[in-house]
Amino acid sequence: FVGRAIEVDSTNAEAQSLYAKVLVGLEGAPSGINYLNDMITNYPRQNKYRMALAEVYIQNENYQQAEGILRQIISLDQENKKAIIDLGKVLRAQNRNNEALEQFFIAGVKDPNDANPIFLAGQLYFDTGKYVEAANQFAQVLKQNSRFPLAHFQKGRALLQLGRAREALDEAKYEQAMNPDLSQGYILAAEADYGLKQFTACASEFQKAVAKNPQTSEVYVKMARCNRRSGSLDAALSLLREAEVKESGNPDVYKELGAIYQTKAMSDEALKAYDRYLALLPNAPDRGQVEAQMRRIESGESSLAPDAF
């Protein structure tokens, strides 16, 4: 069909760009890249071909080549916001975070009504552990657009990392109201409830998340932990069985199993589970805590230490 569009109008840049992308799918990236380079040679002032070429490079994780093309586009059209944002993403993929932030902020200045570059900056701050800056960026996003997708969720995640669980729970409720069919708001609420030691509410929110969308084994482990802390040990065990089916190599399954067995005073089973956890994750950051519980069992004290995990 795109071939027919080109037959009707061979100068249609969108059709030619789409044709090149189809070539990538049919024959591999080199075919599409060669096609687009030919179009750039024939139409040097048409930036759509360069954008398509950059997208092909990004799709194939050829970030240095993509960076070069995007910088060419921006040199020819300094107002090309998409190219600036894409350049930021490409720099982020190369772990050049300060340069990436600069591009996101440049894009934000180009179009103050578009909150997307500020959202991307917030994500980058979050991913690099700068939670205060992340929370501030997501707050700015919401100031510009109170209904920006997942902005409440991301702001809540940052607040949770700062120990502000009550505020994070408020953001989760906003997210649930805006996107009731997405699981993110319920997961955030569950984690905030856990921070507030509201374990029954935590388990309930995780259950809502699972009902909305399929979840990873990690979510089942966290839900099991909430059930354990609320006293629902059999429900917690059932959830861990589901988590193990989803991902038998997830070490957290066995740490949580150990905690449940220890709570139930099933010492041998607890030790086996803890051993499995440490075998799967020998450099576990909480290895000392786990070994402390194992020593506790071996010394004759079978119960789990309060607030151990």
Side-chain angles (χ1 to χ4, degrees):
F1 283 102
V2 72
R4 292 179 190 175
I6 291 171
E7 288 176 7
V8 172
D9 181 6
S10 63
T11 64
N12 186 315
E14 291 182 7
Q16 293 281 13
S17 298
L18 179 56
Y19 185 83
K21 292 176 182 178
V22 173
L23 277 180
V24 171
L26 289 172
E27 301 177 5
S31 292
I33 290 169
N34 290 337
Y35 190 89
L36 287 167
N37 278 323
D38 288 342
M39 298 307 297
I40 291 168
T41 299
N42 293 331
Y43 302 96
R45 295 182 179 277
Q46 180 52 271
N47 260 342
K48 288 183 179 179
Y49 297 129
R50 291 185 178 85
M51 279 301 305
L53 181 57
E55 289 166 6
V56 171
Y57 280 135
I58 292 170
Q59 182 182 354
N60 287 273
E61 300 183 357
N62 294 327
Y63 298 121
Q64 289 185 340
Q65 292 91 332
E67 178 186 347
I69 296 298
L70 290 166
R71 291 193 184 280
Q72 285 182 26
I73 295 168
I74 294 166
S75 69
L76 294 168
D77 179 8
Q78 296 182 5
E79 302 303 312
N80 193 320
K81 185 179 66 175
K82 184 180 186 312
I84 296 169
I85 291 174
D86 283 354
L87 177 58
K89 292 178 179 178
V90 164
L91 292 167
R92 175 72 181 96
Q94 298 177 79
N95 293 317
R96 293 158 62 184
N97 296 328
N98 290 335
E99 294 175 76
L101 277 172
E102 182 182 1
Q103 296 304 316
F104 294 147
F105 290 137
I106 289 172
V109 170
K110 296 288 184 187
D111 184 0
N113 294 318
D114 183 5
N116 186 52
I118 307 304
F119 183 83
L120 292 169
Q123 285 185 313
L124 196 159
Y125 277 132
F126 184 91
D127 292 341
T128 53
K130 297 180 179 180
Y131 302 119
V132 172
E133 293 87 345
N136 290 339
Q137 291 300 311
F138 294 127
Q140 181 61 34
V141 169
L142 290 165
K143 185 177 179 181
Q144 290 181 234
N145 180 357
S146 62
R147 299 190 63 81
F148 194 94
L150 296 179
H152 285 292
F153 168 69
Q154 296 287 17
K155 181 184 175 185
R157 289 177 72 210
L159 292 170
L160 198 57
Q161 291 293 330
L162 294 168
R164 295 156 63 179
R166 179 62 62 185
E167 294 171 76
L169 185 58
D170 291 339
E171 296 299 327
K173 297 302 180 183
Y174 284 126
E175 191 64 52
Q176 290 175 8
M178 287 177 54
N179 297 298
D181 295 325
L182 299 181
S183 62
Q184 285 92 335
Y186 303 98
I187 291 173
L188 175 61
E191 293 181 343
D193 281 325
Y194 188 85
L196 294 167
K197 300 186 183 303
Q198 298 171 172
F199 302 120
T200 300
C202 169
S204 175
E205 293 291 350
F206 272 129
Q207 187 60 55
K208 293 175 187 175
V210 169
K212 296 295 179 183
N213 301 106
Q215 298 297 323
T216 64
S217 66
E218 194 61 39
V219 169
Y220 281 84
V221 172
K222 290 180 178 180
M223 189 172 12
R225 183 181 61 179
C226 292
N227 275 284
R228 169 174 61 83
R229 297 295 297 273
S230 68
S232 300
L233 300 183
D234 290 339
L237 280 172
S238 177
L239 289 164
L240 288 177
R241 292 189 191 100
E242 292 188 58
E244 192 172 17
V245 168
K246 284 178 171 289
E247 187 183 352
S248 61
N250 182 349
D252 289 334
V253 170
Y254 302 101
K255 183 178 79 172
E256 186 57 35
L257 268 176
I260 292 170
Y261 286 138
Q262 192 175 356
T263 303
K264 292 167 75 73
M266 299 170 66
S267 299
D268 291 342
E269 291 84 349
L271 287 172
K272 288 178 183 178
Y274 287 143
D275 276 334
R276 181 76 185 275
Y277 171 68
L278 294 177
L280 288 170
L281 197 64
N283 296 320
D286 58 355
R287 186 183 184 97
Q289 292 176 278
V290 173
E291 289 176 338
Q293 294 308 307
M294 295 175 77
R295 289 193 297 271
R296 183 181 174 91
I297 294 170
E298 290 164 348
S299 68
E301 178 56 73
S302 60
S303 63
L304 183 67
D307 294 330
F309 309 119

